[in-house]
Protein backbone atom coordinates (compact mmCIF):
# COMPACT_ATOMS: atom_id res chain seq x y z
CA UNK A 1 0.00 0.00 0.00
CA UNK A 2 3.01 2.31 0.31
CA UNK A 3 3.27 2.56 -3.44
CA UNK A 4 -0.38 3.31 -4.18
CA UNK A 5 -0.71 6.82 -5.53
CA UNK A 6 -2.70 9.15 -3.28
CA UNK A 7 -5.92 10.65 -4.71
CA UNK A 8 -4.39 14.09 -5.21
CA UNK A 9 -1.60 12.60 -7.36
CA UNK A 10 -4.09 10.60 -9.41
CA UNK A 11 -6.01 13.86 -9.97
CA UNK A 12 -2.84 15.60 -11.18
CA UNK A 13 -2.20 12.75 -13.64
CA UNK A 14 -5.80 12.87 -14.88
CA UNK A 15 -5.48 16.64 -15.42
CA UNK A 16 -2.18 16.20 -17.23
CA UNK A 17 -0.32 18.22 -14.59
CA UNK A 18 2.89 16.27 -15.10
CA UNK A 19 5.60 18.89 -14.75
CA UNK A 20 7.51 21.43 -16.77
CA UNK A 21 6.86 19.88 -20.17
CA UNK A 22 3.10 20.01 -19.62
CA UNK A 23 3.23 23.54 -18.21
CA UNK A 24 2.30 22.64 -14.66
CA UNK A 25 2.80 19.99 -12.01
CA UNK A 26 3.73 20.55 -8.39
CA UNK A 27 4.75 24.02 -9.51
CA UNK A 28 3.38 26.48 -12.04
CA UNK A 29 5.24 29.42 -13.55
CA UNK A 30 2.98 32.40 -13.89
CA UNK A 31 3.18 36.17 -14.27
CA UNK A 32 2.15 38.62 -11.59
CA UNK A 33 0.32 41.91 -12.23
CA UNK A 34 3.66 43.56 -13.10
CA UNK A 35 4.58 40.88 -15.63
CA UNK A 36 7.23 39.38 -13.37
CA UNK A 37 7.58 35.59 -13.41
CA UNK A 38 6.44 33.97 -10.17
CA UNK A 39 6.44 30.33 -9.19
CA UNK A 40 3.28 28.98 -7.61
CA UNK A 41 2.97 25.65 -5.79
CA UNK A 42 0.06 23.25 -5.93
CA UNK A 43 -1.86 22.85 -2.70
CA UNK A 44 -2.51 19.11 -2.71
CA UNK A 45 -5.61 19.53 -0.53
CA UNK A 46 -7.43 22.09 -2.69
CA UNK A 47 -5.68 21.54 -6.04
CA UNK A 48 -5.15 25.30 -6.36
CA UNK A 49 -1.85 26.98 -7.16
CA UNK A 50 -0.64 29.43 -4.53
CA UNK A 51 2.36 31.70 -4.12
CA UNK A 52 5.40 30.10 -2.57
CA UNK A 53 6.80 31.51 0.61
CA UNK A 54 10.17 31.16 2.22
CA UNK A 55 9.64 28.63 4.97
CA UNK A 56 12.00 28.72 7.89
CA UNK A 57 12.73 25.65 9.96
CA UNK A 58 14.85 25.87 13.11
CA UNK A 59 16.32 22.40 12.51
CA UNK A 60 17.64 23.41 9.08
CA UNK A 61 18.99 26.69 10.41
CA UNK A 62 20.84 24.83 13.17
CA UNK A 63 22.20 22.28 10.69
CA UNK A 64 23.65 25.01 8.47
CA UNK A 65 25.94 25.97 11.34
CA UNK A 66 27.45 22.48 11.51
CA UNK A 67 30.53 21.49 9.55
CA UNK A 68 30.29 17.80 8.68
CA UNK A 69 27.52 16.00 6.83
CA UNK A 70 27.04 13.71 9.83
CA UNK A 71 26.59 16.62 12.22
CA UNK A 72 24.11 18.20 9.83
CA UNK A 73 22.00 15.04 9.54
CA UNK A 74 22.05 14.44 13.29
CA UNK A 75 21.04 18.04 13.97
CA UNK A 76 18.13 18.03 11.52
CA UNK A 77 16.61 14.74 12.67
CA UNK A 78 16.93 15.77 16.32
CA UNK A 79 14.61 18.73 15.69
CA UNK A 80 10.88 18.83 16.26
CA UNK A 81 9.69 21.05 13.40
CA UNK A 82 8.01 19.81 10.21
CA UNK A 83 11.29 19.59 8.28
CA UNK A 84 12.90 17.52 11.04
CA UNK A 85 9.93 15.16 11.21
CA UNK A 86 10.01 14.67 7.44
CA UNK A 87 13.79 14.18 7.46
CA UNK A 88 13.51 11.61 10.25
CA UNK A 89 10.76 9.66 8.47
CA UNK A 90 12.77 9.49 5.24
CA UNK A 91 16.04 8.72 7.02
CA UNK A 92 14.55 5.98 9.18
CA UNK A 93 12.90 4.27 6.19
CA UNK A 94 16.11 4.57 4.16
CA UNK A 95 18.24 3.04 6.89
CA UNK A 96 15.84 0.16 7.44
CA UNK A 97 15.53 -0.45 3.70
CA UNK A 98 19.32 -0.48 3.35
CA UNK A 99 19.66 -2.99 6.18
CA UNK A 100 16.99 -5.17 4.57
CA UNK A 101 18.92 -5.27 1.28
CA UNK A 102 21.80 -7.35 2.66
CA UNK A 103 22.83 -9.61 0.91
CA UNK A 104 20.35 -8.95 -1.90
CA UNK A 105 22.22 -6.04 -3.52
CA UNK A 106 25.61 -6.26 -1.82
CA UNK A 107 27.48 -8.72 0.34
CA UNK A 108 28.29 -6.21 3.05
CA UNK A 109 27.49 -2.76 4.39
CA UNK A 110 30.72 -1.29 3.03
CA UNK A 111 29.58 -1.86 -0.53
CA UNK A 112 26.10 -0.50 0.11
CA UNK A 113 27.68 2.64 1.56
CA UNK A 114 30.09 2.89 -1.37
CA UNK A 115 27.28 2.42 -3.84
CA UNK A 116 25.30 5.28 -2.34
CA UNK A 117 28.33 7.57 -2.08
CA UNK A 118 29.76 6.80 -5.49
CA UNK A 119 26.55 6.24 -7.42
CA UNK A 120 24.33 8.89 -5.86
CA UNK A 121 26.89 11.40 -4.53
CA UNK A 122 25.87 10.96 -0.91
CA UNK A 123 28.37 12.35 1.58
CA UNK A 124 27.73 9.37 3.86
CA UNK A 125 26.34 5.95 3.07
CA UNK A 126 23.33 4.69 5.03
CA UNK A 127 25.35 2.68 7.56
CA UNK A 128 27.82 5.53 8.03
CA UNK A 129 24.83 7.78 8.62
CA UNK A 130 23.40 5.31 11.10
CA UNK A 131 26.70 5.31 13.02
CA UNK A 132 26.74 9.11 13.13
CA UNK A 133 23.21 9.46 14.48
CA UNK A 134 23.62 6.59 16.95
CA UNK A 135 22.47 3.09 16.12
CA UNK A 136 20.95 2.21 19.50
CA UNK A 137 19.06 5.46 19.98
CA UNK A 138 17.79 5.53 16.40
CA UNK A 139 16.66 1.89 16.57
CA UNK A 140 14.74 2.69 19.75
CA UNK A 141 13.14 5.67 18.02
CA UNK A 142 12.28 3.60 14.95
CA UNK A 143 10.62 0.95 17.08
CA UNK A 144 8.75 3.62 19.06
CA UNK A 145 7.47 4.88 15.70
CA UNK A 146 6.20 1.39 14.90
CA UNK A 147 8.87 0.60 12.31
CA UNK A 148 10.27 -2.90 11.93
CA UNK A 149 14.04 -2.93 12.36
CA UNK A 150 15.84 -5.91 10.77
CA UNK A 151 16.65 -8.67 13.25
CA UNK A 152 20.36 -8.64 12.40
CA UNK A 153 20.64 -4.97 13.44
CA UNK A 154 18.93 -5.69 16.78
CA UNK A 155 21.15 -8.77 17.26
CA UNK A 156 24.23 -6.62 16.66
CA UNK A 157 23.11 -4.22 19.39
CA UNK A 158 22.19 -7.08 21.74
CA UNK A 159 25.71 -8.47 21.31
CA UNK A 160 27.08 -5.17 22.62
CA UNK A 161 28.23 -3.72 19.31
CA UNK A 162 27.12 -0.09 19.10
CA UNK A 163 28.36 0.84 15.61
CA UNK A 164 28.44 -0.74 12.19
CA UNK A 165 32.01 0.43 11.66
CA UNK A 166 34.50 -0.07 14.45
CA UNK A 167 36.93 2.84 14.41
CA UNK A 168 40.16 3.33 16.27
CA UNK A 169 41.19 6.48 18.16
CA UNK A 170 42.14 8.21 14.90
CA UNK A 171 38.74 7.48 13.34
CA UNK A 172 40.13 4.86 10.93
Amino acid sequence: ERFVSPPWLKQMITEGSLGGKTGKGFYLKSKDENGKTVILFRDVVTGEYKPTGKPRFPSLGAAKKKESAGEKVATVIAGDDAAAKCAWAVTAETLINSANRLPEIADDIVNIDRGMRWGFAWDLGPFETWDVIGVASSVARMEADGLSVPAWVKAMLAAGRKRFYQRDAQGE
Side-chain angles (χ1 to χ4, degrees):
E1 74 262 5
R2 292 187 143 171
F3 299 105
V4 174
S5 297
W8 58 264
L9 183 56
K10 290 178 182 177
Q11 180 63 35
M12 288 178 69
I13 293 167
T14 300
E15 293 172 7
S17 299
L18 305 174
K21 291 183 180 180
T22 64
K24 62 183 177 177
F26 289 106
Y27 298 96
L28 171 70
K29 285 185 183 178
S30 184
K31 301 275 184 189
D32 66 12
E33 60 277 353
N34 299 322
K36 182 180 176 188
T37 299
V38 294
I39 298 176
L40 306 174
F41 78 95
R42 184 180 178 110
D43 182 323
V44 296
V45 175
T46 66
E48 298 174 7
Y49 287 93
K50 300 179 178 181
T52 59
K54 289 203 174 205
R56 301 280 186 231
F57 299 103
S59 63
L60 299 181
K64 286 181 182 179
K65 298 174 185 169
K66 303 297 180 180
E67 290 192 28
S68 73
E71 290 174 312
K72 291 174 189 268
V73 171
T75 300
V76 170
I77 67 169
D80 63 357
D81 56 44
K85 290 174 184 172
C86 178
W88 167 250
V90 171
T91 300
E93 290 283 352
T94 300
L95 299 178
I96 290 170
N97 184 54
S98 298
N100 281 327
R101 300 289 65 88
L102 281 173
E104 178 185 337
I105 62 170
D107 292 332
D108 54 42
I109 64 170
V110 173
N111 285 306
I112 289 179
D113 280 348
R114 285 179 180 160
M116 298 309 286
R117 286 193 328 267
W118 298 346
F120 296 97
W122 286 21
D123 288 334
L124 298 170
F127 296 97
E128 293 167 315
T129 300
W130 217 334
D131 276 354
V132 167
I133 66 172
V135 181
S137 60
S138 61
V139 164
R141 185 174 174 187
M142 290 169 182
E143 290 180 328
D145 289 348
L147 300 174
S148 179
V149 177
W152 74 266
V153 174
K154 293 193 284 189
M156 178 190 86
L157 291 170
R161 190 167 167 195
K162 302 199 181 313
R163 302 173 57 88
F164 291 102
Y165 293 97
Q166 300 301 319
R167 305 205 193 294
D168 63 19
Q170 287 79 36
E172 300 294 325

